[in-house]
Amino acid sequence: MSYGLVAIAILWTFLFGYLIVASIDFGAGFFSFYSALTGHENKIHNIIQRYLSPVWEVTNVFLIFFVVGLVGFFPDAAFYYGTALLVPGSLATVLLAIRGAYYAYNTYGSSKENNKIYMALYGATGLLIPAALSTVLAISEGGIIYLADGKVQLDWNNFFTNPYTWSVIVLALVSVLYISAMFLSYYANRAGDEVAFGVVRGYALIWSGPTILFSFFAFLTLNRQNPEHFEAMLDISWMFIASFLCFLFAVYGVWKRRWLGLSFIMVMLQFAFAWYGYGRSHLPYVLYNYINIHESVTNDTMAITMITAFVLGLCVLIPSLILLMRLFLFDANYILGKSGKKG
Amino acid sequence: MSTLDPVLMSRVLTGLTLFVHIVLATIGVGIPVMLALAEWRGIHTGDGHYTLLARRWARGYVITVAVGVVTGTAIGLQLSLLWPTFMRVAGKAIALPLFLETFAFFVEAIFLGIYLYTWDRFKSKYTHLLLLIPVAIGASFSAIFITSMNAFMNQPQGFELVGGVFTNVNPFVAMFNPATPTKVSHVLASAYTTSAAALASIAAYSLLRGNKHTYFKKALKLTVISTFVFAVATVMIGDFSGKFLAKYQPEKLAAMEWHFETMKEAPLIYGGVLDENRDIKYALKIPYALSILAGNRPDTEVIGLNEFPEDEQPPLMIHYFFDLKVTNGVLLVVIPLLYMFRKWLPGKKAYPKWLLIGILALGPMALVAIWLGWFLAEIGRQPWILRGYMKVADAATTSPNVGWMLLLFILLYLVLSVSAIRVLTKLFRNKNAEEELAMLGLNSKGGSGQ
């Protein structure tokens, strides 16, 4: 395996990690706000808060890790994406900033249990951020970033009139709500909170339909945007079929109110198959026609050093993450709200 | 806005983001150490006051960490958004520290989350205290890695530049460049100083408002003595930094000191103004001091600014940054010293008002020193982004929209700063320390509660 392939596999995995944890986080923020609007807040708010509080900081790191890793392994990516994405990148940063800060204000700083304005900011940005970030996927397919007089430019017109752009955005939105509701169903069930479970189970089932629908739609519109990539996807179509089967199992489980832990694992597998299938068929390009993993990868010494650093880093990270999950995800007393009030 | 120079706008925006982030990052590095100190004292002596102190600090700390995370995210992304050409070239040499920094931060984030939600959860109180070790290590190592990257930009090495491309890269040589030891240690020591000083300011403020409880006096003692210890270390490392500059970056030292002619027995200039002929007026001149600063001997030869071509000379205003920073540094040693000898001071009061006001000023002074130190370091290496290799003007984005983004971020930082300050003040007002002490049954003078 070439260094480029190892590097992109590492980065893609981190982005997948971000996809899952951030979806839970973004969706939960939105549900929390929505339930406050509709007067259901006491039903699901506590469950959401108990899960989110200890992990919110970790979510952000996954994204930073990806960005830093991408720039480190593929410095050309910094040049092309950096120049072209100044405006959307800055907007996404501002949204992330507002969301992070106001979450902390509401959770740790507010005297009232729920400050409506803080919650609104938190909920709304939770949907805008995935929409903003997902546009990078559309841009990576090519045809939107171009070079003119040696300067990197972004073709806004092509970007906004492109059906693929919009199908990716909508897919990101509905997936966030779906993944989050599926996770919260599992979490509420573990906590033995029947009322919350009823509410989030409803959300999960409602959002499952649009998720699979827009997955198909994104798949079809890709054909128009980048036929080469589309062909490559057809070659590994088994991955997408596997993804669909996982989806069916997960929704069936939640529908039957059974095997909720397994169902959430199936949700993760559903997205893993789709995500790695999409990523694998995107290769060798990181940005279609401009950056590919063989030519743009950083020098060998740096690649080896960074991969080594990554492996050593994982030796610290994985035990820490397991500890975090054991304390807050799999600890019955904590989930039930019997221990671990903030200091 | 689009006609404005993207290079200048990029510089201003990067500067602004760092200006905001450095406050929070500094506190982020230093407070875990203070938390550990207070909680350890609480457990060790069985004095519940210290434990409460740690709890109350931790509550405020989360807010600053949250805002620090988002401004840190901003600078992380802006590196590529505003300086794409720089990242494309230098990314091949500096990716490692940047990458490692995120690992360190990851560890900090995980254990901070655990720490905040596990008070009273473990049987042994020491278990909870131990959680602070990875938090403090993570925070300090973030600072170490990111500072080594900045050190590289001041003192690039570990590569060859062939036709605009970095070849023969050795990431470790790049990371452990000559600027790294002094920069990293100065950043760490000053972060600990600033955090201790900020907490000392809070304690002094409570006492000035007339809170007489022994809790506040204990807080004052712990924080002021910590400030003293860290400030002395910072000043000593600062002296090493001067010697480093004399050897490796003489143009920065020369601009800092308005030292134009290369000479031995060079005097140190404090304050003053320059006229058009670069003659110094109204300044305090300390004979031999610059030579001693540069090489510990009065006959050390110090290279003057005139040895450098005009377009490679740093701006001369950094002289004022240096003078003010050093003044603040000295006060950060002197005021805690006065506190420690307060019993021998004239007057009858144990805590004279002027002394408390001085301690109240410690936090702001340390913060201003941090800002000035970074202005000095960053403006002092102009016009270079990679000293000796790449000028700032060749590194910035070519996008015409930087001006608008600058406006957007000015607005964001204003909103974040104002709201963070409001939330932090409300947090401490709503749960006032004396009520909490009463609730915990810690109102008696000795206070060995729990």
Side-chain angles (χ1 to χ4, degrees):
Chain A
M1 266 211 308
S2 71
Y3 295 129
L5 198 60
V6 177
I8 199 71
I10 290 172
L11 295 176
W12 204 239
T13 303
F14 259 86
L15 210 49
F16 178 70
Y18 183 67
L19 173 94
I20 299 293
V21 293
S23 291
I24 296 174
D25 185 358
F26 291 142
F30 179 77
F31 290 137
S32 188
F33 170 60
Y34 177 76
S35 61
L37 270 190
T38 52
H40 291 290
E41 63 182 275
N42 40 13
K43 285 189 193 160
I44 62 169
H45 182 75
N46 287 339
I47 284 284
I48 290 179
Q49 211 59 10
R50 261 205 299 281
Y51 166 74
L52 283 183
S53 301
V55 303
W56 63 273
E57 242 195 313
V58 177
T59 313
N60 237 346
V61 193
F62 276 96
L63 178 67
I64 298 290
F65 204 104
F66 171 76
V67 173
V68 167
L70 182 70
V71 173
F73 280 118
F74 305 102
D76 283 354
F79 179 67
Y80 285 98
Y81 283 119
T83 312
L85 294 178
L86 176 70
V87 175
S90 299
L91 287 175
T93 313
V94 169
L95 289 173
L96 278 169
I98 292 175
R99 186 181 150 83
Y102 283 88
Y103 174 73
Y105 295 166
N106 192 32
T107 313
Y108 305 99
S110 178
S111 48
K112 287 176 287 180
E113 259 298 273
N114 293 303
N115 183 319
K116 280 269 163 63
I117 300 170
Y118 291 173
M119 285 187 77
L121 282 170
Y122 187 61
T125 49
L127 289 189
L128 290 171
I129 294 166
L133 293 179
S134 63
T135 54
V136 178
L137 290 182
I139 289 169
S140 76
E141 295 295 342
I144 292 164
I145 287 180
Y146 64 96
L147 280 175
D149 310 327
K151 284 186 182 180
V152 178
Q153 306 278 353
L154 193 74
D155 184 350
W156 285 108
N157 196 27
N158 189 0
F159 176 73
F160 279 115
T161 56
N162 190 334
Y164 183 65
T165 307
W166 293 105
S167 54
V168 171
I169 291 176
V170 179
L171 177 59
L173 285 184
V174 294
S175 312
V176 160
L177 296 172
Y178 166 72
I179 294 173
S180 184
M182 291 297 267
F183 174 79
L184 290 172
S185 300
Y186 157 71
Y187 199 69
N189 185 259
R190 256 196 79 93
D193 189 337
E194 279 306 311
V195 184
F197 177 65
V199 176
V200 286
R201 174 180 170 270
Y203 293 158
L205 295 175
I206 288 168
W207 291 108
S208 63
T211 300
I212 209 70
L213 193 73
F214 280 98
S215 305
F216 280 121
F217 193 63
F219 187 59
L220 294 178
T221 45
L222 180 64
N223 191 14
R224 213 187 91 148
Q225 178 74 8
N226 185 341
E228 204 179 311
H229 186 187
F230 184 77
E231 289 298 323
M233 273 172 109
L234 287 184
D235 290 341
I236 48 165
S237 50
W238 66 270
M239 292 186 82
F240 301 97
I241 295 167
S243 167
F244 184 66
L245 293 175
C246 293
F247 164 80
L248 289 180
F249 183 93
V251 174
Y252 181 73
V254 172
W255 176 257
K256 285 283 176 194
R257 302 165 187 266
R258 288 166 69 183
W259 319 300
L260 290 156
L262 189 60
S263 288
F264 187 70
I265 292 174
M266 284 296 157
V267 172
M268 289 204 280
L269 282 177
Q270 173 199 340
F271 280 88
F273 276 120
W275 185 249
Y276 285 97
Y278 169 85
R280 184 175 155 193
S281 50
H282 199 291
L283 292 180
Y285 296 106
V286 177
L287 169 63
Y288 185 71
N289 254 341
Y290 287 106
I291 308 173
N292 79 51
I293 58 163
H294 304 305
E295 287 163 20
S296 299
V297 72
T298 182
N299 56 76
D300 286 2
T301 336
M302 186 52 101
I304 298 168
T305 321
M306 279 182 64
I307 291 168
T308 316
F310 174 77
V311 173
L312 292 177
L314 278 189
C315 299
V316 182
L317 265 192
I318 291 175
S320 316
L321 280 172
I322 290 174
L323 179 66
L324 185 75
M325 287 199 283
R326 278 189 48 177
L327 284 171
F328 299 108
L329 214 53
F330 301 116
D331 185 283
N333 281 335
Y334 175 78
I335 301 177
L336 295 173
K338 285 182 190 155
S339 73
K341 285 236 161 65
K342 64 185 177 192
Chain B
M1 297 295 289
S2 63
T3 53
L4 288 174
D5 176 21
V7 179
L8 181 65
M9 293 291 112
S10 296
R11 283 184 63 190
V12 176
L13 180 46
T14 310
L16 177 72
T17 303
L18 285 172
F19 179 78
V20 180
H21 182 62
I22 277 165
V23 182
L24 301 152
T26 300
I27 291 174
V29 171
I31 300 268
V33 176
M34 296 303 295
L35 280 176
L37 205 58
E39 203 187 340
W40 175 74
R41 278 210 65 127
I43 299 170
H44 187 68
T45 62
D47 185 341
H49 287 158
Y50 288 105
T51 312
L52 180 66
L53 200 58
R55 278 198 185 218
R56 288 176 62 86
W57 286 346
R59 259 182 241 145
Y61 179 61
V62 202
I63 305 284
T64 60
V65 168
V67 186
V69 169
V70 300
T71 51
T73 310
I75 191 65
L77 296 172
Q78 279 174 357
L79 266 183
S80 303
L81 295 174
L82 296 173
W83 309 97
T85 315
F86 165 70
M87 290 306 281
R88 181 186 211 177
V89 175
K92 293 188 167 115
I94 55 172
L96 183 67
L98 208 58
F99 197 59
L100 288 173
E101 196 262 354
T102 44
F103 271 116
F105 178 56
F106 221 138
V107 171
E108 183 196 348
I110 291 172
F111 283 93
L112 183 63
I114 298 177
Y115 177 77
L116 290 172
Y117 285 85
T118 50
W119 291 91
D120 307 327
R121 196 163 155 184
F122 302 111
K123 277 199 193 100
S124 162
K125 284 182 177 157
Y126 283 103
T127 313
H128 186 247
L129 177 63
L130 288 177
L131 289 169
L132 273 176
I133 294 174
V135 176
I137 289 179
S140 292
F141 269 88
S142 298
I144 291 171
F145 290 131
I146 214 68
T147 310
S148 84
M149 179 181 144
N150 179 274
F152 171 84
M153 290 160 80
N154 278 281
Q155 209 60 47
Q157 63 170 34
F159 62 90
E160 281 166 47
L161 195 63
V162 182
V165 179
F166 277 31
T167 51
N168 284 335
V169 174
N170 185 331
F172 291 100
V173 175
M175 232 171 105
F176 297 103
N177 60 74
T180 301
T182 41
K183 261 193 188 273
V184 162
S185 47
H186 199 54
V187 161
L188 285 180
S190 59
Y192 301 147
T193 311
T194 307
S195 305
L199 297 171
S201 293
I202 297 175
Y205 178 74
S206 300
L207 284 167
L208 275 171
R209 281 184 47 142
N211 293 316
K212 292 218 171 64
H213 201 285
T214 150
Y215 167 83
F216 300 104
K217 291 172 185 163
K218 286 177 187 167
L220 194 73
K221 189 175 175 190
L222 182 69
T223 51
V224 175
I225 292 178
S226 306
T227 309
F228 176 76
V229 173
F230 293 136
V232 168
T234 313
V235 170
M236 281 167 62
I237 299 163
D239 180 56
F240 296 143
S241 304
K243 293 179 177 39
F244 162 80
L245 287 181
K247 193 170 172 196
Y248 290 96
Q249 239 176 317
E251 79 278 16
K252 192 189 266 183
L253 185 70
M256 237 156 88
E257 277 306 321
W258 290 352
H259 177 70
F260 301 111
E261 298 297 333
T262 302
M263 61 158 110
K264 291 178 178 178
E265 302 176 1
L268 190 93
I269 313 280
Y270 185 83
V273 287
L274 274 185
D275 65 11
E276 303 90 64
N277 306 323
R278 288 187 164 182
D279 285 327
I280 302 159
K281 283 179 182 163
Y282 315 118
L284 181 69
K285 279 190 192 181
I286 308 166
Y288 310 118
L290 183 59
S291 284
I292 294 172
L293 176 76
N296 273 345
R297 291 161 59 94
D299 62 350
T300 308
E301 189 176 73
V302 185
I303 299 169
L305 197 58
N306 292 346
E307 313 280 328
F308 297 90
E310 209 152 313
D311 64 339
E312 288 178 16
Q313 292 181 3
L316 291 172
M317 65 165 164
I318 61 172
H319 173 67
Y320 297 111
F321 299 159
F322 179 66
D323 284 359
L324 274 173
K325 174 179 109 137
V326 170
T327 312
N328 281 2
V330 170
L331 285 172
L332 278 158
V333 174
V334 171
I335 295 174
L337 207 59
L338 287 174
Y339 166 85
M340 285 151 73
F341 291 104
R342 67 188 180 283
K343 279 178 193 150
W344 290 281
L345 292 174
K348 278 178 190 160
K349 282 186 181 168
Y351 298 92
K353 199 171 175 190
W354 60 267
L355 183 62
L356 288 176
I357 292 175
I359 296 171
L360 177 67
L362 287 179
M365 273 183 335
L367 193 58
V368 169
I370 295 272
W371 275 325
L372 291 170
W374 276 107
F375 290 160
L376 176 66
E378 296 306 289
I379 298 174
R381 77 178 143 101
Q382 295 304 318
W384 301 105
I385 191 164
L386 268 180
R387 182 175 167 273
Y389 291 94
M390 186 187 245
K391 287 195 174 167
V392 169
D394 304 320
T397 181
T398 48
S399 169
N401 298 314
V402 190
W404 292 111
M405 295 304 110
L406 176 60
L407 272 185
L408 180 74
F409 277 98
I410 289 176
L411 203 66
L412 173 75
Y413 297 141
L414 275 179
V415 170
L416 283 185
S417 315
V418 171
S419 54
I421 291 167
R422 274 193 51 190
V423 167
L424 279 172
T425 38
K426 259 174 91 180
L427 186 75
F428 287 101
R429 281 222 187 103
N430 286 340
K431 254 193 178 174
N432 129 354
E434 297 201 319
E435 287 168 24
E436 256 190 282
L437 286 164
M439 258 166 57
L440 293 168
L442 288 175
N443 251 342
S444 61
K445 259 213 155 184
S448 54
Q450 291 266 336

